[in-house]
Amino acid sequence: MFFRQPDKSQLTRIRFLLFLLALMPLARLIWLGATESLGANPIEFIERSTGTWALVMLLIALALTPIRLLTGIAWPIQLRRMAGLFMFFYACLHFTSYLWLDHWFDWSEISKHIIKHPYVLVGFLAFVLAVPLALTSSNTMMRRLGGRWKLLHRMVYPIAILAVLHFWWLVKKDIREPLFYAVVLLLLLGVRVLYAGRKQLKTQTTSKIQAHNSSA
Amino acid sequence: MLIGKKPDILSSEITPRAIFENRRRFIKAAGFGAAAGLIASAGFVPSLASAANTRQKIASFNKTAYGKEEQLTSYDDITTYNNFYEFGTSKSDPAVHSRLFKPTPWTLSIEGEVKKPRKISIEDIFKLAPLEERIYRMRCVEGWSMVIPWVGFPLSKLIQYAEPTANARYIEFISLADPKSMPGVRVPILDWPYREGLRMDEAMHPLTIMAVGLYGEVLPNQNGAPIRLVVPWKYGFKGAKSIVGLRFTEKMPVTAWMKAGPSEYGFYANVNPEVEHPRWSQSTERRIGGGLFSPRIKTRMFNGYADEVGQLYAGMDLRKNF
């Protein structure tokens, strides 16, 4: 079942289920907040949680192409936009909790904070770069932008690198958690590079063979 | 809550020594599943999970005027949000992983530039000086703060006992690093054991204390049982926990955090809103316990203890000596 392309109604159902699933981290936060179970530092908890889930959604979105390359199962690519938009959704919650709960819109303090602290700066940059991607995620925008759309959405790679760096530089000493995300990202990007290299080799050899054949 | 119920025994009924022996006996009892009567008669909640970390009142200590105007951080927050990497790097780790840690028997070894190196038991440390309550602000380098009612005594009393020589200009504090009872030590996050240090005049300052309790109770394991350093005008990491060694030295000791990140953590680590840390803003702080909708508060020079300790650093460039 997993290997076959699901039909339209199946895909709708899958989308609906995943949509609910992707809202679970938010539901959990609301539940913990309502029962005062966010711990001694609830703001830090919310920032950490929303940030982590933004990163997880991003990595899920980036995992769908490697899945296709490695297994030939292509239909999950149809879920990529949803994963990407959930990444942006959690990133928005993350950024809002930083601006509002953590700093109470104290703009002078916030701007100083962003400029002076490298981890904040790269995180901010990742968020800013993600805005145009979210804005151009509709079918209409895809059509309107044509070939440039793909080029624009390659921005997801630097965003992912900045996001992992954001986590890495935030951590005081125990880098095991960001290291885990870095390794996953490296694998996901590595598969792409590997296949791109192979493809290029293939086209090169085919064109060489063709050239050889035509000259003969 | 992770910690057991408050024991309903009169504080006057217990002496520190009895507390520790009781605790020791209790751990054994819990381990062998015997002597349930003893536990019941002592008024403890017979729960295995909280066995080694049952709350015990300190028999007698004097109240002081320090921090009277401050609003205390709750016992729950103080004991569940800890940086104590020997028990794990997450803030909630120490409360969980220190549950079976045994802070007794305990001896503190006094070494280095002293008339005679010696060891002192935790029981004798308790008798060294009258215990007093000090309500201090604690500012973590990560940008959060608490107000903690410590119970302890001035470090100067322990220094007097140690009899340092004229060569002693610094003190190095060495924490326990026991991989068997401290799971965090099995991971080389820091160069174990944890080390901290103070200049002699900082150590002799009346604000500097050795804490053996908080909220009128024996120090919980996750807060550095049985004995820890508290230096309220410095970032929290200066407060070495579960101290087993005191070394008097002529040269400035290299602390665990100086080794881990020399550009980020200096020897002095005085709270200073003017000196930025590459990771955290030091101009403001979040007071723990304020809930979701309380804004940050301004961080004060020397954590608000400038009047008392400012003169220690007269003429020093605090940007260089961070």
Side-chain angles (χ1 to χ4, degrees):
Chain A
M1 186 240 147
F2 182 73
F3 297 94
R4 276 191 306 113
Q5 162 72 34
D7 64 38
K8 220 170 177 186
S9 75
Q10 278 174 328
L11 198 63
T12 314
R13 261 177 286 161
I14 291 170
R15 278 213 176 102
F16 181 69
L17 273 175
L18 290 178
F19 185 84
L20 289 183
L21 204 63
L23 281 173
M24 282 302 144
L26 176 63
R28 169 173 169 260
L29 279 183
I30 293 169
W31 171 255
L32 289 177
T35 54
E36 297 201 341
S37 318
L38 289 169
N41 197 344
I43 297 167
E44 180 190 64
F45 191 102
I46 292 171
E47 282 178 338
R48 281 294 182 103
S49 174
T50 50
T52 306
W53 283 104
L55 186 54
V56 169
M57 295 296 170
L58 177 59
L59 293 176
I60 290 173
L62 285 177
L64 303 180
T65 293
I67 286 175
R68 178 179 64 83
L69 290 173
L70 292 171
T71 66
I73 303 167
W75 67 267
I77 302 263
Q78 289 163 287
L79 305 166
R80 188 161 58 189
R81 169 163 38 193
M82 190 162 86
L85 283 173
F86 264 111
M87 179 282 272
F88 190 67
F89 174 67
Y90 281 107
C92 281
L93 290 178
H94 181 62
F95 193 48
T96 308
S97 57
Y98 167 79
L99 292 179
W100 178 20
L101 299 176
D102 204 358
H103 290 281
W104 281 86
F105 306 112
D106 183 345
W107 298 114
S108 76
E109 181 71 26
I110 290 165
S111 51
K112 258 192 277 171
H113 198 231
I114 291 175
I115 296 161
K116 278 191 187 161
H117 304 280
Y119 92 87
V120 192
L121 185 65
V122 293
F124 177 69
L125 224 64
F127 180 77
V128 170
L129 291 176
V131 172
L133 303 203
L135 291 178
T136 57
S137 65
S138 65
N139 286 338
T140 328
M141 285 309 284
M142 239 171 139
R143 246 177 284 121
R144 205 184 287 174
L145 286 172
R148 282 170 300 164
W149 189 91
K150 210 167 183 182
L151 211 63
L152 177 66
H153 280 250
R154 288 218 173 115
M155 195 90 89
V156 72
Y157 304 123
I159 289 171
I161 293 166
L162 288 171
V164 169
L165 215 54
H166 174 57
F167 195 1
W168 193 293
W169 284 347
L170 153 79
V171 168
K172 191 148 102 185
K173 197 75 219 318
D174 186 358
I175 48 118
R176 283 174 292 179
E177 212 185 334
L179 182 66
F180 167 77
Y181 289 103
V183 167
V184 170
L185 178 63
L186 219 65
L187 288 174
L188 295 179
L189 297 182
V191 171
R192 287 178 166 81
V193 172
L194 214 72
Y195 272 80
R198 214 194 260 182
K199 204 171 151 194
Q200 207 180 4
L201 204 70
K202 234 187 221 167
T203 44
Q204 268 174 13
T205 27
T206 21
S207 58
K208 257 187 207 159
I209 291 165
Q210 275 168 354
H212 181 79
N213 286 350
S214 59
S215 68
Chain B
M1 204 176 72
L2 289 165
I3 320 297
K5 215 174 82 185
K6 216 173 191 164
D8 48 354
I9 16 172
L10 285 174
S11 58
S12 59
E13 283 173 12
I14 306 175
T15 63
R17 187 176 205 116
I19 289 173
F20 289 118
E21 280 176 359
N22 222 334
R23 185 185 270 195
R24 221 178 300 169
R25 243 182 292 155
F26 181 55
I27 292 161
K28 269 187 201 153
F32 299 116
L38 175 100
I39 299 160
S41 69
F44 292 110
V45 182
S47 143
L48 279 180
S50 60
N53 216 358
T54 307
R55 296 171 64 167
Q56 291 146 13
K57 281 187 179 148
I58 290 178
S60 75
F61 58 89
N62 305 318
K63 297 258 175 193
T64 59
Y66 292 98
K68 270 203 138 59
E69 69 290 349
E70 297 282 355
Q71 200 194 335
L72 299 185
T73 305
S74 77
Y75 181 88
D76 269 10
D77 286 347
I78 294 173
T79 55
T80 57
Y81 192 75
N82 306 100
N83 275 327
F84 195 172
Y85 283 12
E86 283 85 337
F87 292 110
T89 53
S90 156
K91 297 277 191 301
S92 53
D93 280 344
V96 178
H97 297 313
S98 74
R99 245 180 265 182
L100 297 174
F101 179 73
K102 291 173 203 158
T104 51
W106 196 274
T107 49
L108 183 70
S109 130
I110 294 165
E111 315 158 4
E113 292 289 346
V114 286
K115 281 214 181 97
K116 197 174 136 243
R118 51 175 143 178
K119 291 188 191 319
I120 178 170
S121 70
I122 190 70
E123 287 83 358
D124 290 338
I125 290 173
F126 262 83
K127 290 181 210 147
L128 216 59
L131 298 180
E132 43 188 288
E133 182 174 73
R134 302 275 187 107
I135 297 170
Y136 282 162
R137 294 177 289 277
M138 208 232 11
R139 169 64 155 80
C140 179
V141 72
E142 297 164 0
W144 52 268
S145 62
M146 293 183 178
V147 176
I148 305 174
W150 300 108
V151 177
F153 59 90
L155 172 58
S156 61
K157 302 279 183 197
L158 188 56
I159 294 173
Q160 275 162 24
Y161 171 85
E163 295 186 288
T165 67
N167 289 335
R169 293 183 53 219
Y170 295 91
I171 307 183
E172 182 177 35
F173 302 84
I174 302 147
S175 295
L176 181 70
D178 174 23
K180 264 187 238 132
S181 60
M182 299 170 136
V185 174
R186 292 172 216 153
V187 191
I189 300 290
L190 290 169
D191 186 3
W192 309 111
Y194 195 87
R195 288 166 197 274
E196 257 310 333
L198 289 176
R199 213 170 58 189
M200 210 50 161
D201 57 344
E202 298 176 319
M204 289 298 289
H205 194 279
L207 278 180
T208 307
I209 59 163
M210 296 300 273
V212 294
L214 60 84
Y215 265 108
E217 297 173 7
V218 169
L219 202 60
N221 290 341
Q222 62 268 39
N223 295 83
I227 186 164
R228 64 166 294 166
L229 176 67
V230 177
V231 196
W233 71 92
K234 292 174 182 284
Y235 291 119
F237 67 84
K238 288 301 281 186
K241 302 183 181 83
S242 305
I243 295 171
V244 290
L246 220 60
R247 232 159 59 82
F248 291 81
T249 63
E250 204 177 340
K251 285 200 187 103
M252 183 186 278
V254 179
T255 71
W257 280 109
M258 282 163 77
K259 256 190 213 169
S263 60
E264 294 182 43
Y265 310 98
F267 176 78
Y268 288 97
N270 292 317
V271 175
N272 189 342
E274 312 284 309
V275 177
E276 281 286 316
H277 186 276
R279 244 174 276 269
W280 307 284
S281 161
Q282 299 304 28
S283 54
T284 61
E285 66 200 51
R286 172 162 311 291
R287 187 54 63 80
I288 297 298
L292 270 182
F293 300 102
S294 66
R296 286 169 168 268
I297 54 176
K298 288 241 174 294
T299 293
R300 290 188 280 163
M301 189 65 202
F302 295 116
N303 201 21
Y305 298 98
D307 289 347
E308 288 98 322
V309 301
Q311 83 281 357
L312 291 175
Y313 309 100
M316 270 176 73
D317 182 354
L318 294 177
R319 282 186 182 279
K320 233 182 250 166
N321 298 290
F322 57 88

